[in-house]
């Protein structure tokens, strides 16, 4: 069976599974729509949480970032997994014991204020919609390649599919759909990684293959070979740190505490029967997440090596050995471009330009002044692989390695599953914030259950439209956009939850002032470099390290925003009245096992 037919068969089969589950598990009440009736088994919920967590950023984009950034991308691995530990230990059990549906509901009740609830809803919407943008970018990348359509059309297709099964099923349908999606995405991620690790190093475990010798038998380790190849082409070594220590630390912290503040993950701990099951569910989720996160560094490194070997075969051949480069280095002939080149060029996510007209494609760092003389000796006139969207690396990886068609089709299904699973969870968090927290708990307490469900579904539809538009015009790669969402959650929601659980002194005035201060400062900093409301051309400064304030990137500023939130909340709380006695007792009850 040819590749495209295999892709249609595998991806189409997974869609039928998702749609079938959504219909069979259709929510009939608000309890089933928001928290699946609180009856999900911890192991099943752990698997669904892992799928909810491992979004397009994890599946599609993270390994692409690792491939191009190398060592510095370890912040994403440490931040996203470390944050989940924080969530499991510091937040999930206490919020589950509190027993309400949503994060804004906890904040509204704990800080005895509808104003605090409304501000929490605003923070949730800003972070969640930003996060959905990253998912829609991933959906567009996956569909554009595997349906062989334009990227924008791919986003449209993804929007329609998310709308059908998320709006129909609510949390009950989404939970069982995400269990199926986890199984698909983890096989799709690990199977090609095993194949490629065997090809390059002879080791079937990619986690060990990353640190193994090349299968060629020349005694050179894979990472040494990759470092040498990149240096020979004017790039920094893969294992070399490129950014500052402070920015790396703040980015890790921002991702970590942002993880613990993301509402679509927190809400999953309300779907199990009790606190004990919430803790168990968190442990299982960490096990399921670790399978992918320990594989990602190998996938990124091996994908980059295979791209270099394809475009600059003579450089990779001698890199790291005692052999000298030939006087004239031959690169990939334009007429010999592999099929995957042409396929991805059709999506607009890969672009090639033969600038010196020699009929070959040169890939090197033409922005490195120290490499300019060497490039001139070769007759190179600029990098000719002019665009390689980082989000294509995982999806293209099995094609680059010339793996069987069924593996390529499996990766297609996995990439789509990862993006759709998280998009559905985020849309449900957005929906519940608007229908339950704003309407039911704040503005229309007498609203009927049916009207509340319909309002939630309409809120989902609106969020899909906004996210789809911004997904077509994203402010960065999927993982970068998601990092912005984590920064916003870190600066606004996480401090309020932590202070709400562990501090009896923080009152409603402090919580509201802290959330607004953290959210607004972080938003303004992001908009200054990414454009206001992510509209390109409205940014105030170029998004380059030399323009960042104190060298802090927009993705890393969430940690600073969180510090501002904590500071403002404590200062305001200590200059205003203490919370009522019943609130202090509520905090005590939440913390009592």
């Amino acid at each position: 069976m040819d590749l495209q037919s295999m892709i249609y068969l595998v991806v189409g089969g997974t869609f039928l599974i998702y749609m079938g589950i959504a219909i069979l598990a259709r929510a009939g009440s608000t309890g089933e729509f928001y928290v699946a009736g609180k009856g999900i088994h911890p192991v099943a919920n752990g698997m669904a949480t892992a799928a909810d967590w491992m979004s397009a950023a994890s599946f599609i984009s993270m390994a692409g970032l690792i491939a191009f950034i190398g060592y510095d991308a370890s912040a994403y691995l440490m931040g996203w997994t470390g944050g989940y530990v924080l969530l499991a230990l510091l937040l999930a059990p206490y919020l589950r014991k509190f027993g309400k549906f949503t994060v804004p509901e906890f904040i509204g009740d704990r800080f005895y204020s509808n104003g605090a609830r409304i501000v929490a809803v605003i923070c949730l919407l800003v972070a969640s919609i930003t996060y959905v943008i990253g998912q829609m970018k991933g959906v567009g990348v996956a569909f554009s390649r595997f349906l062989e359509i334009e990227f924008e059309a791919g986003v449209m297709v993804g929007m329609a599919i998310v709308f059908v099964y998320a709006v129909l099923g609510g949390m009950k349908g989404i939970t069982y759909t995400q269990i199926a999606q986890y199984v698909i995405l983890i096989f799709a991620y690990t199977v090609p990684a095993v194949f490629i690790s065997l090809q390059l190093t002879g080791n079937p475990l990619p986690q060990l293959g990353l640190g193994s010798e090349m299968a060629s038998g020349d005694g050179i380790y894979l990472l040494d070979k990759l470092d040498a190849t990149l240096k020979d082409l004017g790039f920094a070594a893969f294992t070399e740190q490129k950014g500052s220590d402070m920015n790396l630390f703040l980015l890790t912290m921002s991702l970590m505490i942002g993880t613990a503040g993301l509402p679509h993950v927190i809400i999953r701990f309300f779907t199990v029967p009790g606190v004990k099951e919430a803790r168990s569910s968190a442990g299982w989720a960490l096990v399921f997440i670790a399978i992918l996160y320990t594989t990602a560094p190998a996938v990124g490194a091996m994908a980059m090596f295979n791209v270099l070997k394809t475009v600059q075969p003579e450089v990779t051949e001698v890199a790291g050995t005692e052999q000298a480069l030939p006087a004239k280095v031959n690169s990939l002939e334009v007429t010999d471009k592999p099929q995957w080149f042409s396929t991805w060029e059709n999506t607009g996510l890969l672009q090639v330009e033969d600038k010196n007209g020699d009929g070959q494609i040169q890939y090197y760092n033409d922005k490195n002044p120290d490499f300019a003389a060497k490039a001139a000796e070769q007759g190179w006139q600029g990098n000719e692989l002019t665009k390689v969207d980082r989000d294509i690396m995982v999806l293209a990886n099995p094609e680059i390695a010339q793996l069987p068609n069924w593996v390529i089709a499996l990766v297609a299904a996995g990439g789509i599953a990862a993006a759709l699973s998280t998009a559905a969870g985020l849309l449900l968090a957005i929906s519940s914030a608007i229908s339950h927290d704003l309407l039911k708990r704040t503005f229309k307490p007498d609203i009927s259950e049916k009207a509340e469900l319909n309002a939630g579904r309409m809120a989902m539809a609106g969020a899909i439209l906004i996210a789809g538009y911004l997904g077509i015009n994203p402010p960065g790669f999927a993982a970068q956009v998601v990092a912005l969402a984590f920064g916003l959650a870190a600066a606004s929601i996480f401090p309020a939850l932590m202070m709400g659980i562990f501090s009896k002194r923080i009152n409603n005035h402090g919580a509201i002032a802290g959330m607004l201060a953290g959210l607004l400062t972080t938003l303004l900093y992001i908009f200054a470099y990414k454009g206001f409301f992510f509209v390109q051309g409205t940014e105030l400064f170029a998004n380059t390290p030399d323009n960042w304030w104190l060298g802090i990137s927009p993705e890393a500023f969430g940690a600073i925003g969180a510090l501002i939130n904590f500071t403002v909340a404590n200062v305001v709380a200590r200059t205003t009245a203490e919370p009522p006695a019943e609130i202090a007792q509520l905090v005590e009850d939440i913390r009592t096992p």
Side-chain angles (χ1 to χ4, degrees):
M1 186 181 293
D2 67 274
L3 175 58
Q4 202 58 34
S5 300
M6 180 69 76
I7 289 171
Y8 287 143
L9 178 66
V10 174
V11 175
T14 60
F15 282 163
L16 289 176
I17 293 172
Y18 305 153
M19 296 301 178
I21 292 172
I23 293 168
L24 291 174
R26 181 169 182 170
S29 66
T30 51
E32 290 184 340
F33 188 82
Y34 294 136
V35 288
K38 299 185 180 180
I40 305 299
H41 190 277
V43 176
N45 196 58
M47 198 174 291
T49 304
D52 204 356
W53 176 238
M54 291 188 297
S55 63
S58 292
F59 188 98
I60 295 175
S61 194
M62 184 170 63
L65 279 177
I66 293 170
F68 284 92
I69 299 176
Y71 178 89
D72 288 25
S74 59
Y76 290 85
L77 294 166
M78 294 185 293
W80 282 338
T81 49
Y84 199 84
V85 176
L86 283 182
L87 174 61
L89 295 178
L90 297 180
L91 296 181
Y94 305 105
L95 293 175
R96 180 62 188 85
K97 187 179 180 186
F98 187 70
K100 297 296 177 70
F101 282 172
T102 65
V103 168
E105 194 165 26
F106 168 78
I107 290 175
D109 288 358
R110 161 59 183 87
F111 296 111
Y112 51 98
S113 165
N114 278 338
R117 181 181 289 109
I118 292 169
V119 172
V121 168
I122 293 169
C123 296
L124 183 151
L125 292 177
V126 171
S128 296
I129 289 174
T130 305
Y131 201 161
V132 176
I133 296 169
Q135 306 318 303
M136 288 303 174
K137 168 74 193 303
V139 167
V141 171
F143 277 113
S144 64
R145 162 59 188 92
F146 297 113
L147 295 179
E148 297 190 345
I149 55 179
E150 291 289 328
F151 167 70
E152 292 79 6
V155 174
M156 299 288 187
V157 173
M159 288 167 61
I161 291 169
V162 170
F163 177 81
V164 171
Y165 83 80
V167 170
L168 273 179
M171 180 58 87
K172 186 178 178 184
I174 286 170
T175 296
Y176 290 109
T177 303
Q178 286 174 335
I179 293 169
Q181 287 168 330
Y182 175 78
V183 174
I184 291 166
L185 75 86
I186 205 66
F187 272 100
Y189 203 84
T190 55
V191 168
V194 168
F195 272 103
I196 295 168
S197 182
L198 277 169
Q199 278 184 355
L200 293 178
T201 68
N203 194 317
L205 289 176
Q207 294 91 336
L208 299 179
L210 180 64
S212 299
E213 293 182 3
M214 299 292 295
S216 56
D218 55 11
I220 300 175
Y221 286 87
L222 171 62
L223 285 174
D224 290 338
K225 187 80 165 176
L226 180 56
D227 280 350
T229 305
L230 287 167
K231 286 182 176 179
D232 285 347
L233 293 171
F235 296 99
F238 184 83
T239 56
E240 176 185 322
Q241 182 177 327
K242 291 89 176 172
S244 68
D245 289 343
M246 183 175 72
N247 190 67
L248 198 63
F249 171 77
L250 289 175
L251 176 57
T252 304
M253 285 299 299
S254 182
L255 295 172
M256 190 177 291
I257 61 178
T259 296
L262 279 171
H264 78 291
V265 176
I266 292 173
I267 201 172
R268 290 235 58 95
F269 296 104
F270 295 98
T271 64
V272 292
V275 176
K276 180 182 177 182
E277 290 83 2
R279 290 184 184 276
S280 176
S281 174
W284 280 108
L286 277 169
V287 171
F288 294 130
I289 289 168
I291 298 172
L292 187 144
Y293 271 60
T294 56
T295 308
V299 172
M302 292 173 185
M304 174 52 74
F305 181 78
N306 278 331
V307 168
L308 296 173
K309 188 170 69 171
T310 301
V311 182
Q312 297 282 25
E314 290 190 357
V315 176
T316 55
E317 182 68 27
V318 302
T321 69
E322 295 181 357
Q323 294 177 257
L325 277 171
K328 172 60 180 172
V329 174
N330 290 308
S331 308
L332 174 67
E333 296 282 345
V334 174
T335 54
D336 292 337
K337 285 191 301 184
Q339 179 59 40
W340 67 268
F341 248 75
S342 302
T343 305
W344 283 103
E345 280 182 282
N346 292 337
T347 68
L349 299 171
L350 178 71
Q351 293 175 4
V352 173
E353 180 186 354
D354 186 7
K355 295 178 180 178
N356 60 358
D358 65 351
Q360 296 183 346
I361 301 169
Q362 284 88 38
Y363 177 56
Y364 70 99
N365 187 4
D366 56 2
K367 294 180 173 59
N368 182 356
D370 297 331
F371 194 75
K374 190 173 180 180
E377 288 176 12
Q378 294 289 336
W380 298 347
Q381 296 178 13
N383 173 37
E384 296 178 347
L385 199 57
T386 54
K387 181 179 181 181
V388 186
D389 192 298
R390 295 172 184 178
D391 292 341
I392 77 172
M393 294 300 287
V394 169
L395 299 177
N397 207 13
E399 295 177 89
I400 298 170
Q402 300 178 334
L403 297 185
N405 285 351
W406 68 267
V407 178
I408 299 171
L410 182 64
V411 172
I416 293 167
L420 295 182
S421 63
T422 302
L426 287 163
L427 290 168
L428 188 72
I430 293 168
S431 165
S432 59
I434 292 174
S435 61
H436 186 70
D437 295 307
L438 282 186
L439 289 180
K440 180 71 174 177
R441 292 300 308 275
T442 308
F443 297 123
K444 294 188 71 175
D446 58 342
I447 190 173
S448 68
E449 186 170 289
K450 183 178 179 181
E452 187 182 346
L453 274 175
N454 289 334
R457 286 172 172 143
M458 285 191 290
M460 268 194 190
I464 289 171
L465 291 174
I466 294 170
Y469 170 77
L470 292 171
I472 292 171
N473 304 281
F477 303 109
Q480 290 177 317
V481 179
V482 168
L484 296 176
F486 279 69
L488 292 167
S492 58
I493 298 172
F494 175 78
L497 293 176
M498 286 292 292
M499 291 184 290
I501 294 170
F502 295 104
S503 173
K504 296 178 184 178
R505 184 63 184 84
I506 301 299
N507 60 14
N508 53 354
H509 302 296
I512 292 171
M515 284 189 289
L516 288 174
L519 177 68
L520 291 175
T521 52
T522 305
L523 260 183
L524 288 173
Y525 191 81
I526 290 171
F527 286 164
Y529 295 98
K530 297 286 188 177
F532 283 80
F533 300 99
F534 302 127
V535 176
Q536 295 180 8
T538 61
E539 58 272 8
L540 300 178
F541 310 104
N543 189 21
T544 54
D546 52 313
N547 284 319
W548 296 339
W549 178 67
L550 298 178
I552 303 171
S553 68
E555 292 82 4
F557 194 80
I560 303 296
L563 186 62
I564 293 171
N565 187 332
F566 278 117
T567 304
V568 170
N570 276 280
V571 169
V572 172
R574 278 161 175 73
T575 55
T576 51
E578 291 189 16
E582 61 267 23
I583 297 300
Q585 186 59 49
L586 172 67
V587 174
E588 190 69 33
D589 291 342
I590 293 171
R591 295 206 306 248
T592 302

